[in-house]
Amino acid sequence: MSSVTTNDLGETSVSDAIQAGLLIAEADRIGESDRFFTQLVPAGAKLERIDLHQMEDAYADRPRRKTGVVHVRDADSFISYLAKHGLTETEVWADTKGSALVGVINAHQAAQGDAASQSDAVEGLAGHGDHRVLLELVLSKEWQTWTALDRQWLSRQDFAEHIEDNAIDVIDPDGATMLEIAQSFQATLNSEFKEAQRISSGEVAFKYVETVQAQAGQAGEFEVPTSFTIAMSPFEGGDPVEVEAKFRYRLRAGELKVSYALTRPHDIQRQAYLDLVQAVADSIPHPLFRGRPA
């Protein structure tokens, strides 16, 4: 074990100070290492393992190397972080199941030589793999709102309120038309529905009779489209995509239930993730693998 040294100003180095402390504490060296020691802690008679590198890093101006996992929220930040810290051995993993991207900055180095034939290949140096950047995509509020009620049967009032609250996401027909449809459902809460049929325009016409004090009143009719189109991004910060929703209804004993069915939302969400992965792959010089790193 080295002795304590001082510089011209009488300052003691961090390493030498720690070494002096171990000497005083009578710590036991593990093997031939100048890094690992054990120390018996009297309070609990517990044998503690001491890592000199960790102790030195805690008090030094700078640690020996970069470690840690950085969490980013969009693809641009992910790409920028790799541009700042990326090494020749850096690799990126696309975890489709978790809708995530993992950049392993200090991954294992590639094999040297003719790796294809394995005749002259030499294994590259191993990397710690403990400096990473992680992009975990978060579902957007709009996506969660529309998918939560996908294929759920709703009362006229609940359906009308849902459309009123989210008409801004509908692009065909426009939001104003969707609000009119919602108001039509709201206006018939005290009505008995008699018939629903598809008309030549492709819409569905609902015929109803108002009921006032259990007596049949004025008859009425209104029309709704058989489908509508929503523009929204599956993930926060992503570009919006078009999702078709087919209008559904159930008419029983004068009571009308309404619903909508999104067209393959899981496929759309997966494709949005794959498009983002491809955009990242096109913007970085590092190899990209499908799966999760160790």
Side-chain angles (χ1 to χ4, degrees), residues 232-266:
M232 56 180 174
S233 171
F235 303 107
E236 288 184 2
D239 296 327
V241 295
E242 293 185 5
V243 184
E244 183 183 23
K246 296 186 181 299
F247 180 77
R248 292 180 171 182
Y249 64 90
R250 177 188 292 167
L251 181 58
R252 292 179 180 174
E255 181 60 30
L256 178 67
K257 293 284 187 180
V258 287
S259 178
Y260 60 86
L262 300 177
T263 303
R264 304 187 71 84
H266 291 91

Side-chain angles (χ1 to χ4, degrees), residues 49-268:
R49 178 176 175 271
I50 302 170
D51 182 346
L52 291 191
H53 286 186
Q54 289 183 354
M55 294 183 66
E56 290 174 14
D57 283 353
Y59 295 99
D61 292 336
R62 291 181 180 273
R64 295 171 183 268
R65 58 184 182 82
K66 301 174 184 178
T67 61
V69 179
V70 175
H71 297 259
V72 295
R73 288 289 174 255
D74 55 50
D76 289 341
S77 297
F78 185 87
I79 294 169
S80 297
Y81 193 87
L82 289 178
K84 179 179 180 181
H85 299 283
L87 306 171
T88 56
E89 59 264 36
T90 296
E91 59 192 32
V92 175
W93 292 80
D95 179 10
T96 305
K97 184 177 181 180
S99 296
L101 278 171
V102 184
V104 184
I105 308 297
N106 53 348
H108 303 321
Q109 292 182 352
Q112 306 297 316
D114 188 1
S117 65
Q118 297 183 347
S119 58
D120 300 319
V122 178
E123 184 178 17
L125 295 176
H128 286 278
D130 55 1
H131 180 201
R132 303 186 176 195
V133 55
L134 174 62
L135 169 59
E136 292 177 305
L137 297 178
V138 178
L139 292 177
S140 68
K141 181 179 179 181
E142 294 78 12
W143 188 265
Q144 294 183 67
T145 297
W146 284 100
T147 56
L149 296 182
D150 181 27
R151 303 172 191 271
Q152 301 296 314
W153 290 106
L154 307 173
S155 67
R156 283 170 280 165
Q157 181 172 355
D158 289 341
F159 181 80
E161 290 176 353
H162 176 68
I163 295 299
E164 287 177 344
D165 292 341
N166 302 284
I168 190 173
D169 301 325
V170 182
I171 59 173
D172 185 25
D174 57 31
T177 301
M178 293 300 292
L179 286 175
E180 290 179 5
I181 294 172
Q183 291 168 1
S184 296
F185 280 115
Q186 290 275 25
T188 59
L189 294 180
N190 295 321
S191 301
E192 180 180 355
F193 279 78
K194 297 296 185 180
E195 184 181 2
Q197 63 180 7
R198 188 184 296 269
I199 57 180
S200 59
S201 64
E203 297 182 314
V204 178
F206 292 101
K207 296 182 180 181
Y208 62 90
V209 175
E210 295 181 354
T211 55
V212 181
Q213 296 180 352
Q215 298 295 320
Q218 184 177 357
E221 178 180 328
F222 66 91
E223 301 167 359
V224 300
T226 55
S227 66
F228 54 95
T229 304
I230 308 163
M232 56 180 174
S233 171
F235 303 107
E236 288 184 2
D239 296 327
V241 295
E242 293 185 5
V243 184
E244 183 183 23
K246 296 186 181 299
F247 180 77
R248 292 180 171 182
Y249 64 90
R250 177 188 292 167
L251 181 58
R252 292 179 180 174
E255 181 60 30
L256 178 67
K257 293 284 187 180
V258 287
S259 178
Y260 60 86
L262 300 177
T263 303
R264 304 187 71 84
H266 291 91
D267 289 343
I268 294 175

Side-chain angles (χ1 to χ4, degrees), residues 27-38 48-50:
D28 294 322
R29 187 192 308 271
I30 300 179
E32 298 299 323
S33 172
D34 286 329
R35 175 180 177 181
F36 297 106
F37 294 82
T38 59
E48 295 281 0
R49 178 176 175 271
I50 302 170

Side-chain angles (χ1 to χ4, degrees), residues 9-39:
L9 299 177
E11 297 173 334
T12 303
S13 71
V14 171
S15 177
D16 286 340
I18 292 174
Q19 292 279 356
L22 292 173
L23 184 61
I24 295 172
E26 298 181 352
D28 294 322
R29 187 192 308 271
I30 300 179
E32 298 299 323
S33 172
D34 286 329
R35 175 180 177 181
F36 297 106
F37 294 82
T38 59
Q39 172 66 44

